[in-house]
Amino acid sequence: MNAISLSANSAAALIARFLKARGVDRVFGLCGGHIMPIWMCIDAEGIAIVDVRDERAAVYMAHAYGELTGGLGVALVTAGPGVTNAMTGIANAYVARAPVLVLSGVPPRPQENRGALQDLVHTDMVRPITRYARTVREPSLVLQELDEAVARAFGAGGEPGPVYLDFPTDTLRAEVPRALQREEHLRPKPRPAIPPDPAALRAAAELLASARRPLVISGRGARGAAKSLLRLLDWLGAPYLDTGESRGLVPDSHPAGVAAMRGTVMGEADVVLTVGRRLDFQLAYGSPAVFGEARFVRIADVASELRDNRRGEVELFASCAAALEGIVEVAGGRAPAIDREWARALRARHEVRARKLRAAMRDAPCGRDGRMHPNRLLACLQDRIGNDAVVVADGGDVLSFARVGLAVATWLDPGPLGCIGVGTAFGIAASFACPDRPVVVVTGDGAFGFNAMEIDTAVRHRAPVLIVVANNGAWQIEVHDQQQTHGKVVGTRLSFADHAAMARAFGMHAQRVERAEDLPEAIDRALAHRPALLDVVVTPEAVSSDARTGLAWVPDLQPLAAWDEAERKWREG
């Protein structure tokens, strides 16, 4: 076979140059013939390639890497099953509104629609879960299509999210005339700030300043606006709730934080400010059945975070930082009318509950089976990793425990799609994005199984991640629901498999831990020998908050049983 050489003016070489010009330093992918020209050109440009074991993991990694670096995440997957494998990752990035560029290939143009290997119309499949999807057949259009795709990924003209481009392999090998290699398409583009409307600023400042019981809730859109958010909270004195999308923006030590009083404050607030946050299932869709007669002020730079489910009395379509700064400036030092005793009491009750929780976690009794409570694991982990760690929580049951049991500076989880199985892939990417901070994945054994083979990726690329598997031998939320609702367990139990043995087979430092007293030393040793895995056997008898709330039961009107009952009563008048 004659070797095929790629010139510096090939479409594949231009793709690699484009990525380099846009600041991409790492691409996640799984190689294949249809994308080999891009693969080799990316390597020639000095861009690191993290080769994975499954394309879904490549997109997960690109997602997490982009989120944590503030840049573009890039995944490179081959044709046919490479794209179909990647679709769950693309869907997760779509719902999470994460800027990810997915690149792939298709058969050469002379073989199209003739039954070629891996010949599928990928764009038809991915278009509903991307912001932009194109097959680029003409080599001279490669740069402008890349430019447009990346703009769409960052939300130019709409919502941010994943974008997709694929190329026939002969197009990748084809020459692009130098005259068409326009610098205007290669150079990075600044992300434009959206200035707030002055009238809306005045209305928002007035409503917030006059509120007696204001509440601030942040989401994805508040990332990058932490300083502005803190400035508003310090002026307003309002209680604050974060969500998984924005956890860590406001330190747990800040006096505004009242996470342990979430249900109470949502029901008592008279004005609710959402900052880049949808009123989705996690916030009861903003329903008056939960939020009462509260009025809403909504700030967002994308439509889905501005007016879903509940319209705001004031709506600010603007960059979140600019809007928050503008509200404080317009207020001009005006003293808010907030009931400070109400706010102080909420914070005091939050602190009491938080202290009780920490104490209860450390002393959580073993189950009747003699296995440790997952809270014992989380309490010990918190002590060893501190508050500056990047934590990826994955799964159902253990995620529910970790969400309330761990205080961290940076948090990633399966997101609003509930896409369990992201943990190991997210953690590997996070360890590259944040190499100077401890990165810990806390995952259930069920969730771990989705992408367990990526421990091989972690070892080969020396990703400094610690994976902690809470092994309860079950899909435990579903087990609990089946026991309570149906009186029998069907197809939801797993074995207490030895995940540490599997990790050691790939050369990873790993240990199985069955006693709480062995945890401190095991965690310290694992942190010192990353990548590492701890397989911690926990009791399936522990009932998480998500299991108790009826999440698995899937009520008709609201995601949680208590909210569903409240919604029914409210609708009946």
Side-chain angles (χ1 to χ4, degrees), residues 165-176:
L165 294 176
D166 61 22
F167 313 84
T169 309
D170 63 321
T171 296
L172 294 173
R173 293 191 282 257
E175 297 276 311
V176 178

Side-chain angles (χ1 to χ4, degrees), residues 70-433:
L72 178 70
V74 181
L76 180 56
V77 302
T78 199
V83 175
T84 58
N85 286 347
M87 285 183 67
T88 298
I90 296 172
N92 193 45
Y94 178 80
V95 174
R97 305 179 293 291
V100 174
L101 170 63
V102 180
L103 300 174
S104 186
V106 292
R109 286 168 291 180
Q111 298 184 45
E112 282 187 1
N113 301 316
R114 299 183 65 192
L117 175 68
Q118 298 180 338
D119 189 8
L120 286 174
V121 183
H122 306 138
T123 51
D124 285 354
M125 295 188 293
V126 303
R127 189 166 287 117
I129 52 172
T130 56
R131 308 300 182 200
Y132 191 74
R134 292 283 190 276
T135 295
V136 185
R137 292 178 171 82
E138 170 53 48
S140 64
L141 297 178
V142 164
L143 282 182
Q144 69 183 64
E145 285 285 7
L146 284 164
D147 190 25
E148 179 65 16
V150 172
R152 298 287 189 96
F154 284 111
E159 296 189 28
V163 294
Y164 175 88
L165 294 176
D166 61 22
F167 313 84
T169 309
D170 63 321
T171 296
L172 294 173
R173 293 191 282 257
E175 297 276 311
V176 178
R178 291 189 64 82
L180 298 178
Q181 298 176 30
R182 305 288 297 178
E183 176 63 25
E184 65 197 59
H185 291 136
L186 281 164
R187 66 173 177 262
K189 307 299 190 297
R191 298 178 210 169
I194 306 173
D197 175 67
L201 277 180
R202 290 192 294 271
E206 175 61 32
L207 186 54
L208 290 167
S210 61
R212 295 288 290 162
R213 298 185 305 279
L215 168 65
V216 178
I217 305 175
S218 66
R220 182 211 64 85
R223 297 172 189 160
K227 290 182 179 178
S228 303
L229 178 60
L230 287 167
R231 188 180 178 204
L232 179 128
L233 289 172
D234 290 341
W235 163 67
L236 188 58
Y240 166 75
L241 295 176
D242 65 13
T243 58
E245 295 181 349
S246 60
R247 190 166 176 188
L249 289 183
V250 175
D252 289 343
S253 59
H254 194 280
V258 293
M261 299 299 296
R262 184 175 297 266
T264 299
V265 71
M266 286 168 59
E268 292 181 353
D270 60 1
V271 173
V272 177
L273 169 62
T274 63
V275 184
R277 186 61 169 88
R278 295 186 66 187
L279 289 169
D280 61 9
F281 74 97
Q282 298 172 81
L283 293 171
Y285 311 114
S287 173
V290 174
F291 283 93
E293 297 306 312
R295 295 178 291 176
F296 282 78
V297 177
R298 307 202 63 182
I299 298 172
D301 58 4
V302 298
S304 67
E305 296 162 1
L306 188 70
R307 54 180 180 263
D308 66 310
N309 290 314
R310 288 290 299 276
R311 298 300 298 261
E313 186 161 321
V314 182
E315 295 173 349
L316 274 158
F317 181 69
S319 300
C320 290
L324 293 169
E325 292 286 346
I327 290 171
V328 176
E329 292 298 327
V330 167
R334 173 180 172 182
I338 184 172
D339 181 346
R340 296 194 180 276
E341 184 54 41
W342 170 76
R344 279 193 293 268
L346 280 169
R347 176 64 184 182
R349 291 165 66 190
H350 159 81
E351 290 176 339
V352 169
R353 287 189 177 183
R355 284 194 298 270
K356 286 183 177 178
L357 173 63
R358 287 192 292 270
M361 288 175 63
R362 289 190 173 91
D363 298 330
C366 294
R368 290 169 297 178
D369 54 8
R371 300 184 176 106
M372 81 175 80
H373 195 288
N375 275 338
R376 291 288 296 276
L377 163 61
L378 296 173
C380 187
L381 191 62
Q382 180 78 78
D383 289 342
R384 314 316 283 188
I385 65 174
N387 294 330
D388 189 46
V390 179
V391 169
V392 180
D394 188 17
D397 214 47
V398 74
L399 171 60
S400 180
F401 284 113
R403 188 171 54 238
V404 297
L406 289 178
V408 298
T410 304
W411 172 273
L412 295 174
D413 65 26
L417 187 61
C419 191
I420 66 172
V422 301
T424 300
F426 270 22
I428 291 169
S431 71
F432 292 133

Side-chain angles (χ1 to χ4, degrees), residues 1-5 33 36 173:
M1 184 181 77
N2 294 327
I4 300 174
S5 61
M36 189 66 76
R173 293 191 282 257

